[in-house]
Amino acid sequence: MSKASTVLIYGTNLSGYRIAYALGKLGYKTVMLNRGAYVDEVRNQVLSQLPFDLCWACAYAPQRLFVGLGAMQIMYNAELLELNGEAGNFTAKIRKRDAFVNNYICTECEKCVDACPVTVEKDGKKQKAVQIVPKMFWENIYLIDEENCTQCGECETACPTGALKMNPPVEEIEIEAGAVILAPEFDEPGKAELATFGWGIMPNVVKSSDIARASLATNFTGDSFKRPSDGKLPQSIAIVVTPHFNEKGIEYENCNASAQAVYRANKIKEMHPDIDVSLFCRDYKCYGKGHCRMYERAKDSGVRVIRTEKLALSAADGERNRISFSTFSTKELTDKKTVHMTILITGQRPPTTMKRLSEICGVPAESHGFCDILPFTCAKTEVNGIFAVGEFTSPKGNPETIWEGYGPLREITSRLGEKNVEKPQPPALRNVSYEKTRTGIFICSCFGAFSDKIDLESLVNRVKGFSHVAHAEIINGCCTPFSIQETAAKIKESGVNRVVLAVCTPTQKMMKFRKTVMMAGLNPLLSELLRLREDVIQVHTDPAGMEDKAAAMIYAAAAKLTTAQAMPTLMDHMGSTVLVIGGGASGLEAARYLGAAGYNVHVVEKTDHVGGMADFLSIDLEGHEIQKYMAQLVDDIEKDVHITVYTDTLVSDVTGYAGNFHVRLETKGTETVAVDPAIVILATGAKEAKPDLYDYGKDERVMTQLEFEQKLANKQITGGHVVMIQCVGSRNPEKPYCSRVCCSAALKNALILREKGIDVTILYRDMNTYGFKDDYFQAAMKKGVSFLRFDENQYPKLEASDATLKIKINDISDGKDKEIIADYLVLSTGMDPNRENNEAFSALFDLNLDDDGFFDVESCACPYEDASKRIMKPFELSSNGVFVVGTAHSPRSFMESVMMARQAAGKAMVILPAAKMPAPNAMYVSEVDESKCTGCGLCVDVCPYHAREIDPIRKVAKVRPFLCDSCGACVVACPSSAAFLRDQREDQLIRSIDGLLAV
Amino acid sequence: MIKGIWVEGPVKKGVLDFLNGLLAEKKIKAVLMPAKNKGGDSYAWFLMGKDRLLESADPVPPVMTTQGANVVSYLTKKGPVWEKTAVLLRPCEYRAVIELAKIKQVDLTNLVLISFDCPGAYPLEKYVNGDPEELDESFEVCLGGVVELDGPRNVCAICHRFTGTGADIEIGLMGGEGKGFWLVPGSKQGEELLDGAVGSESDNIDVREKAISDRTIARETKRNNTLDSFQETVMGPENLLNTLSACINCHNCSRVCPICFCRECYFDSKALSSEADNMLQRAQRKSGLRLPPDLLLFHLGRMSHMSVSCVSCGACEDACPANVPVSMLFALAGRNTQAVFDYEPGRRLDEAIPHTVFKFEELKDFETPYIKEYSKV
Amino acid sequence: MDEKKEFTPSIIYGLCSWCGTGGSETAGAMHLQYADNIRPFRVPCTGAIDPVYILRALIEGADGFAVSGCHPGDCHFDSGNYRARRRIAVLKSLLDTFGLDSERVLLRWVGHGEGKRFADTVNEFNDYIKEMKKNPLAERRDT
């Protein structure tokens, strides 16, 4: 029986979208089941999570392209009813109800809204029963408010394209799928629970997702933080990390809630430095890259961070909230603070759908109620062929959720049949280079909607008189399948060789418009797209003024096109070899993944053997056996004919760029080897910090956590009292980051010691046991590990004598000074970046290091350290084609490192199959007029993508089209006109300016 | 590093002897410097190697013919010189060389840059049409830094960066009163070359420093005052267009400018060449159009492209056939645009040209803040 | 006779293809009304606006030139807006030097979602230019 090739994705979390995108790229169809009525429904929930204030359109947008190509199908109001069969041959029974409006033929003309006779008032605003959900102005969604709809049918009659169906039927269908991905969104705490914090009771208590949309970075207009009661800017805001004060003690929720709170506080302070912001939390769990710096910044900018274990909210008066709280030592709600508004930062709960999915798919839940994942796997559930990703498997931040989408790619595709999506072939284009310029103006009427607002006939007659214009006519549209065909035919028939399309929103519909032009046999570089709707129809009312503006825009576009030139899409050769630098667990894992996918992989290791830091690890906190895993990994690597391992080898020289690197490898005592990788994976690792504190290095009884772990594994620790100090030499101004692994390591070793009956005391600032790791903290307390907490300004002190190690600590819980006698003092020192190594590689590959010395993931060192680009390109460094994984990126655990390696390898797998790669913007790239170029290098200096270089022999600039994103920085940097964009040649822009002034 | 070597005697001869010495010792292979032409009424640049320098070579010429940076660029643009070559440059030429090195139009490898305390230069036209001998004589008198040059070019009169600070070797004339000069090393390379030079190790070099600082202070004041009052004469469309009205659009100013390194100037390119239709349109809108067009766009546009790197050498004005005060216009523009970034062209090689770099937090004054309830002016 | 009312300035609005354009599209989607004498001029990035374009517009008759793009840190192309700020600083300083009304050039960041800010900026700038009256260069034939 042949295997099915379609993949069914249940739910719409970011990870699910990413898988759909990757599978589309690889040539597999996906069907996505959206339980909601439209694409945006769960966005606010996502927005409230790390990294918060981005609109996330970019995370969803690329995937939407695949819908247009037929590679991806989204079903709305959909539910999975039954799942039968096995990996490769699942049959899913689905109930769905199509959206009221088919987005793909809706032109957004708003005729339905105008036609609707029902007006209702909601939240103080009047709206029709047919309404636009304007939460994101990328693609507006038209919804029918079923509660108020009278079923009169006016909207359906008014719709010019038949996109609106008032009563879409409920259908039950069956889908054959090769694999199933479970990707539902997380749930927020319920109303009743939040009511204990006053949410829903007091007017000025909001939860993070309530304000997520209003406070987008791009929406910072000064009034984002409106107080619900009176719409005024609150003068004081309290931010409460609710999971810390949850009576149920749901600790796993505090995965990124405290970091999220600090981020939110920073954002408020950035916009409104005068607002008094206080932040209530118990711990600061700052395990992500840059999170500690965020915390320091908050304190520096005047955010009052209040650490407390107990807290209660009450109404101070009609509008203000009073927060009563304890300190660590008082235990009673002695302190009070009155604020104008309270923001509750909520955590992530297991999806309520888990139970149903368990029953339908047979996938078990883990103890907290999230979906259970097999250890050391990417998203594999107990049922072969069913994968679970994103927030469905544990609470996590958005970046992780997106990365996760790449991890299981190889496993998924290996369960599928033949590829079932073919890329459409672009239509043949006419050569117009010998023709006289004939420009046609095609003015959209949006199926008649524009004609109501502006006299299009008059406009057509006017533009016909322009000197550059050969033809002008009105079209219905070119955004629905039929109107695209119709307009293309009109363009063809008119015989023009330059096209101005006066339409709407090219940002959103650009691909459709370009397609129309191409179907008419013309290169898109010979066309200009104008926003008649957004720039004229929707924003002005005076008919004469509107016509003038439209005419001016058309004049300028036509003038610009007179010297436009057609150019082909540039293609570049793309290799298929991968170079992995670093033979630790991450490097080997990436190599195994890609080797198994059939790509040739070179692994370079500096030392004489592979393994890296994993050599020192035995088991992890969750009890997974690392050595057993490593043995298997090394064995697999040895057996795979695709993988070559070079030990004792250094990378000596690097040239080239993504797809075409040329690297020289120098192995001790042999000749150098040249390899030409398409992609480089940097897995150079980090190292354990060795501090100059607590007599370390002088006293044998003092050791680091890793050293202790080895002693423990070698059974050298048999009794006595072990004291551990956390955050030694880190999270301070010199090293302002959390190494993420030390708390887990301490707990792991403490639990082992307790098994043997050995006493352990852990001295800590914050227990950074994020997510499920917190279970082990609870377990350790139960098993008798003593925990003493100290203040960040009062680290414990050591008094060592030959006989004893005496540790003095001020216990934060009662404020008393205490003395502890220890036999061993174990220091959790965290990780240091491999600085020398990293600097060498950053020079070789032209990469940036972050403030802490790890590899930076984007060259864009913007003030918002979590800029969208970083998230979208999680492993890619400032130069394309280089992925950084494992601890070279930032501190992370063994399991996290190998997962990251697989995710990067999955991403590589999406890129590698192409033998040739087109420039990302097809024919729209920058170019060099060599006769004018003097090789000054200014364009090279300003190019943010390393897409330009100076030819060392000919002394002229060269463009690497694959890296060019056509931003135009080079054009302006070049004082001559040697650098230009193909669609904006120097003579085109001046003409366009003159043209705008001509009418 | 030694502070300097004092060489007693006639300045020009002393410098030539020093250079001949370096050539003879094979410490350098060639020298690039101006020499007087046979007719004796002007100068040209020569690359001199074999044994000795030209008899008429002049390390401190009274006029600037071709801007030295253009010559150095011509020599090294396609690749470095293979052997050590000394170049004698006016301070403004030296600064232009540094600017050009930043944009790869000059390769400094193996070059020994030598500059001097510059007394200024005569306008080229004045020298070529005047009595060279008489002018040479009155120029000679100014070498010692006591007497100011009579009738120099406009920008020379207000030059406040008249020493070759930063060059490998500076020829210190200021304070020497014409009795001799100092050889001052500015780099390790310069110091090595001075090792063994004829002269005495100097302990009186503070005389020069004092003279330089006095003149710098005086010149800075003069520069600012002159530019301020010049600005008054060119402020506003009326004054500015009157000042430029004599321009014949020959673009000689950009052609001789060392900083305008483009092979084809943007303002000569097809970017601005439009159809008659376009010009008719513009003529109708403005009730007339000067032809050839784009006079103001050329000058302001060129300023926006390169005034941050303008070294105020005055080459442009020497080349202008229509007596437009181009160098003053650029000196004024340069002063103000450079101040935006606290940038001084040619000051240091590692100081990036402002357009190639940026800071996250800067120039807030140039952004217009958004205040929702905006008030009308 | 009120001259101000009759004067309709000719204004060009340079917009980057991402946030600047996004802001104008959002204004459109929200049906915010603003002055119709503004002419959009689209470039990929504010960093792709050579001051020469602005000079050209001012010399050839524009009364004002506004530039909007992504907020600092949000540039779609990493850093184009920072470079644009430098270019515009140079231009404004030049215009100031020669008494050519540097206020006729406006730089303000507008995000994709900031439709209101976009419309407000147009109206605010339009009012401002109206007060400034016609650009004297626009009427000079000897430019």
Side-chain angles (χ1 to χ4, degrees), chain A residues 564-876:
Chain A
Q565 285 177 41
M567 289 283 188
T569 296
L570 286 173
M571 301 293 269
D572 203 344
H573 160 263
M574 164 110 187
S576 61
T577 306
V578 178
L579 174 67
V580 174
I581 303 176
S586 315
L588 294 181
E589 185 60 61
R592 174 165 71 175
Y593 192 109
L594 289 166
Y599 296 101
N600 287 326
V601 186
H602 302 275
V603 181
V604 182
E605 169 58 40
K606 188 165 68 166
T607 67
D608 61 358
H609 68 285
V610 294
M613 216 176 347
D615 287 355
F616 306 106
L617 304 170
S618 44
I619 59 163
D620 68 5
L621 178 61
E622 289 82 2
H624 305 119
E625 290 180 46
I626 291 171
Q627 287 312 321
K628 203 168 140 194
Y629 177 81
M630 282 303 287
Q632 179 69 46
L633 178 58
V634 172
D635 191 46
D636 288 349
I637 295 273
E638 276 166 10
K639 281 190 189 136
D640 193 326
V641 291
H642 297 104
I643 304 172
T644 322
V645 179
Y646 304 81
T647 47
D648 273 330
T649 302
L650 296 172
V651 175
S652 65
D653 186 37
V654 180
T655 55
Y657 52 93
N660 297 286
F661 286 108
H662 311 293
V663 180
R664 293 195 80 78
L665 308 177
E666 250 173 55
T667 307
K668 240 183 237 172
T670 59
E671 279 185 26
T672 60
V673 181
V675 293
D676 294 339
I679 277 172
V680 176
I681 294 178
L682 269 180
T684 51
K687 54 190 182 187
E688 191 187 35
K690 307 281 182 194
D692 193 14
L693 295 159
Y694 296 108
D695 288 352
Y696 174 77
K698 291 169 210 148
D699 193 320
E700 279 189 356
R701 295 165 296 181
V702 181
M703 59 200 102
T704 66
Q705 199 66 251
L706 212 53
E707 289 160 357
F708 181 74
E709 182 165 339
Q710 280 174 288
K711 277 213 160 79
L712 198 57
N714 296 338
K715 308 202 164 44
Q716 287 167 290
I717 311 290
T718 48
H721 182 204
V722 179
V723 174
M724 299 178 178
I725 307 180
Q726 301 303 104
C727 298
V728 171
S730 61
R731 293 179 66 204
N732 57 28
E734 288 81 52
K735 200 171 138 185
Y737 61 89
C738 160
S739 292
R740 185 170 175 154
V741 297
C742 345
C743 287
S744 303
L747 285 175
K748 169 182 73 181
N749 292 337
L751 284 165
I752 297 172
L753 290 169
R754 287 307 297 146
E755 290 290 313
K756 301 182 179 196
I758 301 170
D759 287 339
V760 195
T761 306
I762 296 181
L763 314 179
Y764 72 104
R765 268 169 67 180
D766 286 296
M767 257 345 241
N768 208 343
T769 44
Y770 47 95
F772 301 155
K773 292 190 192 300
D774 210 83
D775 298 352
Y776 298 90
F777 184 28
Q778 311 300 330
M781 284 195 278
K782 278 196 197 110
K783 295 238 163 97
V785 178
S786 342
F787 288 93
L788 289 179
R789 188 171 192 157
F790 59 88
D791 185 85
E792 61 180 88
N793 298 314
Q794 271 185 295
Y795 265 77
K797 291 198 172 59
L798 171 68
E799 277 174 21
S801 65
D802 286 348
T804 57
L805 291 168
K806 190 195 283 175
I807 295 139
K808 290 185 164 179
I809 178 177
N810 180 279
D811 182 355
I812 218 168
S813 68
D814 52 16
K816 285 181 186 146
D817 288 328
K818 291 174 184 169
E819 281 183 6
I820 309 161
I821 304 297
D823 298 293
Y824 301 99
L825 178 59
V826 182
L827 308 176
S828 287
T829 57
M831 279 186 212
D832 270 350
N834 219 331
R835 228 170 242 282
E836 224 169 277
N837 227 3
N838 293 2
E839 275 164 13
F841 281 111
S842 79
L844 273 176
F845 286 97
D846 201 3
L847 311 169
N848 293 333
L849 298 181
D850 67 14
D851 294 332
D852 300 322
F854 296 94
F855 284 103
D856 201 358
V857 278
E858 248 292 334
S859 59
C860 165
C862 22
Y864 309 119
E865 60 280 288
D866 308 297
S868 60
K869 284 188 175 181
R870 292 182 184 229
I871 313 309
M872 291 304 294
K873 296 180 167 183
F875 327 100
E876 285 147 275

Side-chain angles (χ1 to χ4, degrees), chain A residues 398-410:
Chain A
N398 285 347
E400 288 100 319
T401 309
I402 288 205
W403 304 2
E404 249 185 33
Y406 289 115
L409 271 191
R410 203 193 72 216

Side-chain angles (χ1 to χ4, degrees), chain A residues 35 45 185-189 253 347-353 391:
Chain A
R35 285 176 297 149
Q45 232 182 77
E185 315 74 26
F186 64 89
D187 276 21
E188 290 185 323
E253 266 195 347
Q348 300 176 19
R349 291 290 164 82
T352 41
T353 47
E391 308 101 83

Side-chain angles (χ1 to χ4, degrees), chain A residues 159-409:
Chain A
C159 181
T161 61
L164 190 146
K165 293 269 176 286
M166 227 172 41
N167 288 305
V170 177
E171 296 165 89
E172 282 190 13
I173 55 166
E174 279 194 356
I175 291 174
E176 303 290 322
V180 176
I181 318 290
L182 303 177
E185 315 74 26
F186 64 89
D187 276 21
E188 290 185 323
K191 276 184 188 171
E193 200 181 319
L194 288 171
T196 60
F197 294 98
W199 187 81
I201 300 164
M202 286 181 264
N204 292 325
V205 176
V206 298
K207 62 178 166 35
S208 39
S209 61
D210 295 342
I211 57 161
R213 179 70 71 178
S215 60
L216 281 184
T218 46
N219 257 346
F220 277 168
T221 49
D223 58 354
S224 315
F225 290 100
K226 278 185 192 160
R227 196 156 75 139
S229 67
D230 54 8
K232 281 187 192 153
L233 191 68
Q235 289 314 298
S236 55
I237 296 178
I239 299 176
V240 177
V241 184
T242 58
H244 292 181
F245 310 108
N246 202 309
E247 282 176 10
K248 291 185 187 166
I250 304 175
E251 284 292 340
Y252 63 77
E253 266 195 347
N254 183 15
C255 174
N256 56 30
S258 52
Q260 186 191 335
V262 167
Y263 187 90
R264 178 72 64 209
N266 275 336
K267 284 287 169 195
I268 296 172
K269 273 288 181 191
E270 226 169 77
M271 282 308 294
H272 307 285
D274 301 335
I275 294 184
D276 171 61
V277 181
S278 25
L279 195 158
F280 294 87
C281 65
R282 190 192 60 227
D283 302 276
Y284 181 52
K285 303 207 175 183
C286 48
Y287 65 98
K289 199 167 176 145
H291 287 184
C292 267
R293 287 179 185 274
M294 243 158 62
Y295 184 69
E296 292 307 316
R297 204 172 70 206
K299 287 199 294 188
D300 290 346
S301 63
V303 173
R304 195 175 154 213
V305 181
I306 299 168
R307 299 292 197 100
T308 168
E309 280 177 329
K310 234 173 151 182
L311 160 154
L313 267 94
S314 58
D317 48 46
E319 286 169 341
R320 294 186 300 163
N321 321 127
R322 179 176 299 127
I323 298 166
S324 317
F325 57 97
S326 67
T327 61
F328 281 119
S329 49
T330 58
K331 314 277 189 231
E332 295 302 322
L333 301 176
T334 46
D335 292 22
K336 303 218 167 6
K337 168 106 192 156
T338 305
V339 293
H340 289 96
M341 184 167 121
T342 306
I343 300 172
L344 304 177
I345 305 293
T346 56
Q348 300 176 19
R349 291 290 164 82
T352 41
T353 47
M354 184 62 232
K355 199 162 161 269
R356 273 201 67 240
L357 289 173
S358 260
E359 285 160 10
I360 295 172
C361 307
V363 290
E366 49 78 67
S367 58
H368 306 88
F370 290 87
C371 186
D372 197 22
I373 294 296
L374 299 177
F376 289 116
T377 72
C378 280
K380 274 171 89 169
T381 65
E382 267 180 27
V383 183
N384 184 11
I386 300 183
F387 299 83
V389 290
E391 308 101 83
F392 189 47
T393 65
S394 70
K396 54 187 76 124
N398 285 347
E400 288 100 319
T401 309
I402 288 205
W403 304 2
E404 249 185 33
Y406 289 115
L409 271 191

